[in-house]
Amino acid sequence: MNNEEFRRYGHQVVDWMADYLENIRDYPVLPAMQPGDLVDRLPVAAPEGGESMDAILEDFEQSIVPALTHWNHPRFLAYFAVSGSPPGILAEMLIATLNVNGMLWKSCPAVTELEQVTLSWLRQWMGLRPEFFGIIYDTASISSMHAIAAAREMADPEARTRGANRGLTLYTSEHSHSSIEKGAITLGVGQENVRQIPVDGNFRMRVDVLRERMEADRLAGLKPFCVVATVGTTSTSSIDPVPAIADVATEFGAWLHVDAAYGGAAAVVPELQGILAGAERAHSLVVNPHKWLFTPIDLSVFYTTRPEILRRAFSLVPEYLKTGEDTRAVNYMDYGVQLGRRFRALKLWFVMRNLGHEGVCRIIRSHIGYAQRLADLIRSHPDFEVSAPTPFSLVCFRYRGSDDDNRALLDRVNASGKAFLSHTVLNGQFVLRLAIGNIATQWEDLEEVWDLVRQTAKALATEPHSSASGN
Ligand code: PLP
């Protein structure tokens, strides 16, 4: 492709992108397809000779787009909804164009230094102490794995050389994200040594049980080395009592990691900063701008007050990566598993500058407001109930029928293409999850979805096989 063609197709692609964002409500949120449909449509082998961009773009429209789940759709309300906002999208294009690798300061100073600046800005927005050193990883799963590795380094520095878990035990709530257990599996802590602490009636970790379990393990000769608290759990967005958990972690000399992958974003709103109470005592915290800070996936921010321990856990510098600036510069490769690093900070910088603190706060406040309003509507409807408190922008609710009725309701709503909701199980019951997080979501979108949910439940109740119909 010569430069003239690049320019022409570049304009064409940007036009497509702008049209897509403008008309996104016209797309079904979920594709109507079966597993294997796209594979069957595409050639079994790559082309021998190069193909024209016209042909590639045509196939993109005809084959790829119909197989998309539209995460950028304002009525994508499943999992934790996300947004690739326009400034972030433009930054992604520049990141690919520059194609720099920030493994070392020297390999691209801008990657390292913009990461330092943007993470300092974000830290200030979130009201975290200046001692929190920041680094960008791809996902919260990887951020939390690094937290567990640093915790192990603090508890058992020989683990790095000798390997294998020597009596270390990790504590997290039964509602924490599966990435915590996966991190423990990856690092050889072992699932058997992950204690899933039960939650209270509001899905918050029970600190009395946490303390009992840690004490029992200590008496049994084990070493409680890491406690992971969650601010915004995946199923219900509940907030663990971090101040009390910090007391217990301190008592046992354990590393405290706060998983605020989703909920942490709300702390940029000044009146909501209380959600991070206790996090000032954490050794580390993760927040994902790719979840609720309008930054295209992927970008996860990891903060730690003990960067020297993280560095001790991971630094391994071969001769060919030594530079004259090593004593004066941050080389981010020293703080994690990966060597090569994308220029992710650029997209966060674009988003923070273009939206500004005010803009970000306004959107997050509106999402939380919509969630409260919707929860009130659901609560006041005789056929529905709200299944968990709504501290952020996630509403968990269910139809007052059987689990099968709720499953059928979810399937039917999602099959309509008008919205995408997800589910969880709370206290043994199947529950629908509606997560608001897209930058373009308006109250009218949620009214439409609520209407769809009610109409669908009504229609299901009149069908003969439904238990809601009394049959
Ligand atoms: N932590 C929490 C609380 C989450 O809800 C999620 C995902 O939803 C994760 C961690 C994992 O995030 P990621 O996909 O960035 O690994």
Side-chain angles (χ1 to χ4, degrees), residues 427-449:
N427 300 321
Q429 286 189 317
F430 187 93
V431 162
L432 279 69
R433 285 174 79 265
L434 187 155
I436 304 160
N438 186 279
I439 195 167
T441 303
Q442 302 292 323
W443 175 243
E444 290 69 31
D445 289 302
L446 301 166
E447 274 184 320
E448 197 176 321
V449 175

Side-chain angles (χ1 to χ4, degrees), residues 342-362:
R342 302 181 65 224
F343 194 3
R344 292 191 181 91
L346 191 71
K347 52 185 170 176
L348 184 56
W349 190 60
F350 269 46
V351 170
M352 290 179 81
R353 291 192 60 187
N354 188 245
L355 272 67
H357 192 198
E358 248 176 47
V360 171
C361 289
R362 183 170 28 81

Side-chain angles (χ1 to χ4, degrees), residues 136-138 288-290 295-301 344 347-348:
I136 297 175
Y137 299 120
D138 54 0
N288 271 7
H290 79 221
T295 307
I297 190 165
D298 49 9
L299 199 162
S300 176
V301 174
R344 292 191 181 91
K347 52 185 170 176
L348 184 56

Side-chain angles (χ1 to χ4, degrees), residues 80 139-142 177 179 230 232-234 259 261-262 288 290-291:
F80 281 125
T139 57
S141 303
I142 296 301
H177 191 262
S179 56
T230 312
T233 57
T234 314
D259 178 356
Y262 155 71
N288 271 7
H290 79 221
K291 284 205 193 318

